[in-house]
Amino acid sequence: MADADMPAPSPNPAPDHAGHRARLRGRLLGGDVDGMADYELVEYLLALAIPRRDTKPLAKALLREFGSLAQLVSADPESLRRVDGLGDTAIAALKIVQAASLRLLKGEFRDKPLLSSWDALLDWLRADMGPIDVERVRVLYLNSRNMLIRDELASEGSIDQSAIYVREIVKRALELGASAIILVHNHPSGSPEPSRQDIAITRDIADAASRLGIALHDHIVVGGSEYRSFRAMGLL
């Protein structure tokens, strides 16, 4: 016979992870974000997308697979889909974190002269290009006040090389009425040191652009969380 003092069992007991999830929510709302591990942030984010599942194991597996929080949210959707248990809703949750972060960083210089917002520009470039594993070349086109007109992907290459077409970059600058450009590309190896090819193509672009009154302000090479500036290195 059941003890009369014992409460009747709930017909639908809450999952064991429900209390843990509530504690994570309390820490987030209470301002303890700095004290939370990366996997806890990912865990709670995934819980919003997959509410009926304990997402801690998946969060830890994702960080092991991709190496860091930055690389995880920067991963392309196809790579994320290869992880068992991660569907499109959860992938979209991860990608919106990346999109929101980059938009916030870009907002620091969007309506300002880039040369006076250099640190904000570098923060954005490192966040955007540092984690990706394919080499990409981007061109920032600036007006006469050094404000950003357009940010365009010029080329995307293999893991170790990407073609830069001098004529196409200069032609596009003329089409946009740009007065100056900034080249940016990443090294997936993690080393930001410019190669001989980087130096040669940069000089070709600088020469071609200058003949048409377009300045090449800098060429930024991003490698992981580090960068190199051709201007600062005396290469321009």
Side-chain angles (χ1 to χ4, degrees):
M1 181 176 177
D3 190 329
D5 294 329
M6 294 290 291
S10 170
N12 295 299
D16 291 340
H17 57 267
H20 173 63
R21 190 169 293 173
R23 287 190 292 274
L24 288 179
R25 181 173 62 246
R27 291 173 66 188
L28 281 165
L29 296 178
D32 186 31
V33 178
D34 288 344
M36 297 178 70
D38 284 353
Y39 81 84
E40 292 177 309
L41 296 175
V42 176
E43 175 188 355
Y44 192 76
L45 177 66
L46 293 176
L48 299 176
I50 319 172
R52 293 182 177 85
R53 177 175 176 179
D54 177 7
T55 52
K56 181 191 286 188
L58 179 56
K60 290 185 173 181
L62 285 167
L63 288 171
R64 283 196 301 270
E65 174 71 20
F66 291 95
S68 71
L69 180 56
Q71 290 172 311
L72 171 60
V73 299
S74 300
D76 65 88
E78 288 306 314
S79 297
L80 292 167
R81 285 190 187 98
R82 289 195 285 269
V83 177
D84 187 39
L86 200 65
D88 281 353
T89 301
I91 291 171
L94 292 168
K95 298 311 293 180
I96 203 168
V97 169
Q98 181 194 26
S101 299
L102 292 175
R103 187 159 298 186
L104 287 170
L105 289 169
K106 196 171 187 177
E108 293 296 314
F109 62 83
R110 186 193 305 273
D111 299 319
K112 303 173 184 175
L114 284 191
L115 300 187
S116 64
S117 308
W118 199 247
D119 289 343
L121 172 66
L122 292 174
D123 287 343
W124 172 63
L125 291 173
R126 285 181 292 194
D128 192 20
M129 300 189 73
I132 58 178
D133 57 5
V134 174
E135 187 162 343
R136 291 175 182 164
V137 178
R138 292 164 68 170
V139 186
L140 310 183
Y141 296 95
L142 315 181
N143 64 17
S144 59
R145 293 185 294 160
N146 287 319
M147 297 177 70
L148 184 64
I149 300 173
R150 196 71 63 87
D151 160 31
E152 292 187 346
L153 180 67
S155 66
E156 182 171 279
S158 69
I159 197 168
D160 59 2
Q161 63 181 3
S162 184
I164 305 177
Y165 299 101
V166 175
R167 184 170 59 182
E168 292 303 314
I169 289 174
V170 175
K171 177 183 175 183
R172 186 59 174 151
L174 291 172
E175 290 172 348
L176 293 170
S179 297
I181 57 177
I182 297 174
L183 297 176
V184 187
H185 84 278
N186 65 305
H187 283 173
S189 66
S191 169
E193 300 300 330
S195 67
R196 290 182 180 177
Q197 183 181 15
D198 294 338
I199 295 169
I201 198 71
T202 301
R203 288 175 176 162
D204 288 345
I205 293 173
D207 289 345
S210 66
R211 292 193 204 106
L212 297 170
I214 300 167
L216 174 58
H217 282 328
D218 209 339
H219 184 168
I220 305 296
V221 184
V222 179
S225 61
E226 298 184 24
Y227 75 94
R228 293 292 182 269
S229 158
F230 274 51
R231 180 73 62 185
M233 296 176 71
L235 297 173
L236 272 178

